[in-house]
């Protein structure tokens, strides 16, 4: 663990906040497998090559994000697929975007795998009676499905999505809603996430949390940024801290 915090100054957290995507599980593995399956399904339906599909999908994603801004719908796969089909010359299709969305998410959910020791960390916190809250961007339905597929329903005292809060991290709204739903005083918060701008900056500014940024093994030597208190690549490192200070 690369850290700029003094381990001796850490105290037992009153609550631990988590991000979901690419923090507790590998988003890239699930996403790339799902895109491959979706492209194969589109080829079956309309004869579109995978390369053409991926090019138009990239363009569609940029268009939607530019048009909608930082809201939950800007992540909507069905909107991406609808726009990609329009760019491919199939704008009149209505059933195909629905078919592609189902293919994508069904494939995605099947491919999700928790990072090593992530579940052990949640269990370690739970047996010590430390509340846990999940703050995640994207729409509520799919995020709840992810939680269910990963078997995490029993761990979190509150789950907040950007759709229900009206804003995405690092805006204050999801963090404030999380505090409201938690209903307890937050004196010493920890936040565990992967995205510096959304998770780490948001947690530091809105929760004054001790921030732990998950980085891949290949990035473990990266510098600790301004609001990152520590980086880690294996959840066992966090477990060791929890055990030491609780």
């Amino acid at each position: 663990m690369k850290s700029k915090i003094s381990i001796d100054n850490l105290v037992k957290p009153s609550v631990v906040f988590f991000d979901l995507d690419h923090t507790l599980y590998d988003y890239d593995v699930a996403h790339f497998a799902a895109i491959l399956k979706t492209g194969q399904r589109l080829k079956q339906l309309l004869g579109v090559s995978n390369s053409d599909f991926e090019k138009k999908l990239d363009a569609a994603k940029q268009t939607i994000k530019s048009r909608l801004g930082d809201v939950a719908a800007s992540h909507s796969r069905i909107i991406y697929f609808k726009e990609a089909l329009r760019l491919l010359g199939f704008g009149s299709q209505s059933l195909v975007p629905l078919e592609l969305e189902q293919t994508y998410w069904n494939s995605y959910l099947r491919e999700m795998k928790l990072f090593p020791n992530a579940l052990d960390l949640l269990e370690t916190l739970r047996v010590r009676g430390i509340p846990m809250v999940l703050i995640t961007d994207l729409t509520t339905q799919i995020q709840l499905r992810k939680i269910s597929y990963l078997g995490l329903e029993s761990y979190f005292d509150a789950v907040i999505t950007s759709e229900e809060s009206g804003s995405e991290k690092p805006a204050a709204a999801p963090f404030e809603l999380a505090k409201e739903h938690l209903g307890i005083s937050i004196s010493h918060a920890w936040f565990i996430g992967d995205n510096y701008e959304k998770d780490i900056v948001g947690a530091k500014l809105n929760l004054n949390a001790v921030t732990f940024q998950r980085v891949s093994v290949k990035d473990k030597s990266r510098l600790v940024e301004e609001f990152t208190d520590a980086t880690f690549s294996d959840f066992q490192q966090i477990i060791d801290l929890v055990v030491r200070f609780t």
Side-chain angles (χ1 to χ4, degrees), residues 17-77:
F17 294 86
F18 288 87
D19 171 55
L20 176 60
D21 299 308
H22 213 51
T23 293
L24 293 177
Y25 75 97
D26 195 324
Y27 168 88
D28 290 339
V29 168
H31 171 69
F32 291 133
I35 285 294
L36 179 61
K37 290 289 186 182
T38 306
Q40 291 171 348
R41 183 58 179 148
L42 180 59
K43 187 172 184 179
Q44 291 174 341
L45 292 170
L46 298 176
V48 176
S49 71
N50 195 60
S51 61
D52 284 346
F53 166 61
E54 291 192 5
K55 287 177 185 176
K56 297 304 183 185
L57 185 61
D58 286 342
K61 183 177 179 179
Q62 293 177 20
T63 297
I64 298 306
K65 287 189 173 295
S66 176
R67 182 189 302 158
L68 297 182
D70 290 332
V71 296
S74 69
H75 302 279
S76 172
R77 274 33 175 196

Side-chain angles (χ1 to χ4, degrees), residues 148-165:
S148 177
Y149 267 75
L150 290 169
L152 304 180
E153 305 99 316
S154 64
Y155 289 96
F156 297 106
D157 296 85
V159 174
I160 304 300
T161 68
S162 59
E163 182 180 37
E164 62 185 311
S165 70

Side-chain angles (χ1 to χ4, degrees), residues 57-102:
L57 185 61
D58 286 342
K61 183 177 179 179
Q62 293 177 20
T63 297
I64 298 306
K65 287 189 173 295
S66 176
R67 182 189 302 158
L68 297 182
D70 290 332
V71 296
S74 69
H75 302 279
S76 172
R77 274 33 175 196
I78 195 168
I79 299 178
Y80 294 170
F81 297 147
K82 183 174 179 292
E83 177 66 11
L85 286 168
R86 186 189 70 80
L87 296 175
L88 287 163
F90 297 102
S92 62
Q93 297 287 335
S94 57
L95 292 179
V96 175
L98 293 167
E99 174 78 15
L100 297 183
E101 184 199 35
Q102 281 206 345

Side-chain angles (χ1 to χ4, degrees), residues 200-219:
I200 304 305
V201 173
K204 185 62 73 175
L205 295 181
N206 295 294
L207 300 172
N208 193 30
V210 177
T211 55
F212 299 88
Q213 186 177 4
R214 194 199 69 79
V215 298
S216 65
V217 173
K218 66 180 180 180
D219 293 331

Side-chain angles (χ1 to χ4, degrees), residues 175-246:
F175 298 96
E176 292 300 320
L177 187 59
K179 289 188 284 186
E180 177 185 329
H181 284 198
L182 190 59
I184 63 172
S185 175
I186 300 173
S187 54
H188 300 287
W190 290 9
F191 193 101
I192 298 171
D194 73 294
N195 186 289
Y196 178 74
E197 294 296 335
K198 288 177 170 285
D199 299 325
I200 304 305
V201 173
K204 185 62 73 175
L205 295 181
N206 295 294
L207 300 172
N208 193 30
V210 177
T211 55
F212 299 88
Q213 186 177 4
R214 194 199 69 79
V215 298
S216 65
V217 173
K218 66 180 180 180
D219 293 331
K220 60 191 289 187
S221 63
R222 64 184 288 176
L223 293 174
V224 177
E225 299 183 74
E226 180 183 2
F227 290 128
T228 303
D229 290 313
T231 62
F232 71 99
S233 56
D234 188 328
F235 280 98
Q236 184 61 49
Q237 296 168 283
I238 308 297
I239 293 172
D240 293 342
L241 285 179
V242 173
V243 171
R244 176 174 178 180
F245 295 104
T246 59

